[in-house]
Amino acid sequence: MQDLRYSVATVLAILLVAACTHEPAKPPTSAEIESMGLLATDGRQSKAQAQLQNWAEAGYAVAQRELALGYARQPAQYARALAWFEKAGHAGDAEAAFQLGEAYRQPTLGATQNLKLAWDWYRLAAEHQHALAALSLARMARNGDGVPRDLGLAARWLNVASEQGNPQAMFLLSNAYLAGEGVPRNPIMARRLLELSAERHYPAALHQLAMAVEGGDMLMLKDPERAGWLRKEAAEEARNRWNTY
């Protein structure tokens, strides 16, 4: 990671020099903006910060989001973080909209909890293919947070997140199909989603799959040896890669 940051710093130094010339400037790519954000935030370079600010003020949504992420690390700048997240979110940046959903649900960044606003921002992010936002909507619908409790709506948002490859959503949707909560009971679909989640190394799915294999549940053949390997992998993944969302 340290080597990567040094290489990024080298590239961005070239970009900064180019920005000071009189050549007509090309619009920055999202990757260039995000790299500049890394240099401004982690590298704490004032020139990078100034360039990011210029791009944000020019209306680049990615720059607005990156600027907000930097301000979000500074308690004294939480108001600025929220303001820039809102600009980026209204411009269609999914990550900015998700961050606003988080801020109003938890709450964070000095915001006052507002579940209705959280739902609206999550929905905007989810409509722009943000899987974690769709997962958050599913949780809120299931629990009745900010909206009436609706298991069918929860299942629909779990399906959106699952289609985008989120393993936790796959696991939760598997359980919904197994119990018939918000969707018709379908053991075959439940098994398929559980296996897909396990293939993505989600610990809870690995553990549940291990129990199903051990007991011959969910239309599976009993296989104690495989169950043992699945339990071992679940423990390793939980320890090394995952935390609870």
Side-chain angles (χ1 to χ4, degrees):
M1 178 61 72
Q2 191 67 31
D3 292 341
L4 175 61
R5 288 186 178 175
Y6 284 139
S7 64
V8 169
T10 301
V11 172
L12 291 175
I14 296 171
L15 288 173
L16 288 169
V17 170
C20 296
T21 69
H22 297 292
E23 295 293 328
K26 294 181 179 179
T29 66
S30 294
E32 288 172 344
I33 295 174
E34 289 171 350
S35 296
M36 192 70 75
L38 177 66
L39 193 61
T41 302
D42 292 350
R44 298 182 181 180
Q45 294 198 16
S46 59
K47 288 184 178 179
Q49 175 73 20
Q51 181 61 69
L52 196 64
Q53 181 83 30
N54 288 339
W55 283 336
E57 291 174 352
Y60 293 103
V62 176
Q64 293 167 349
R65 176 240 296 162
E66 289 297 308
L67 192 62
L69 287 171
Y71 283 137
R73 295 189 178 193
Q74 308 169 54
Q77 302 293 341
Y78 281 168
R80 287 187 176 182
L82 283 174
W84 282 112
F85 275 139
E86 286 189 7
K87 286 181 181 294
H90 283 303
D93 186 88
E95 180 61 25
F98 173 72
Q99 292 295 333
L100 286 166
E102 295 282 272
Y104 286 113
R105 181 175 65 86
Q106 297 192 26
T108 57
L109 299 180
T112 301
Q113 187 178 54
N114 186 324
L115 296 179
K116 176 61 170 60
L117 270 180
W119 176 273
D120 290 343
W121 282 114
Y122 280 141
R123 180 161 187 163
L124 181 61
E127 289 172 348
H128 286 81
Q129 311 304 310
H130 198 293
L132 283 180
L135 178 59
S136 297
L137 290 171
R139 289 183 174 279
M140 292 180 74
R142 179 180 177 81
N143 297 330
D145 294 336
V147 293
R149 189 168 186 264
D150 187 332
L151 296 181
L153 182 60
R156 287 198 294 274
W157 282 116
L158 285 177
N159 187 62
V160 170
S162 295
E163 288 180 346
Q164 294 169 15
N166 184 276
Q168 187 172 9
M170 293 172 184
F171 173 70
L172 295 174
L173 189 57
S174 170
N175 287 336
Y177 275 112
L178 194 62
E181 293 185 348
V183 289
R185 189 174 182 277
N186 188 330
I188 296 175
M189 182 63 75
R191 172 182 170 173
R192 178 174 177 272
L193 285 163
L194 182 63
E195 289 177 333
L196 285 172
S197 180
E199 287 172 5
R200 288 162 175 77
H201 311 291
Y202 187 59
L206 288 163
H207 181 70
Q208 187 164 308
L209 187 60
M211 291 191 297
V213 170
E214 186 174 56
D217 301 325
M218 299 179 72
L219 309 175
M220 296 184 184
L221 296 174
K222 288 187 177 182
D223 188 339
E225 184 177 357
R226 185 188 177 204
W229 281 107
L230 287 167
R231 282 200 176 90
K232 181 179 179 181
E233 184 180 358
E236 290 176 350
E237 291 294 332
R239 180 174 60 251
N240 298 327
R241 287 183 32 178
W242 288 89
N243 51 39
T244 301
Y245 173 74

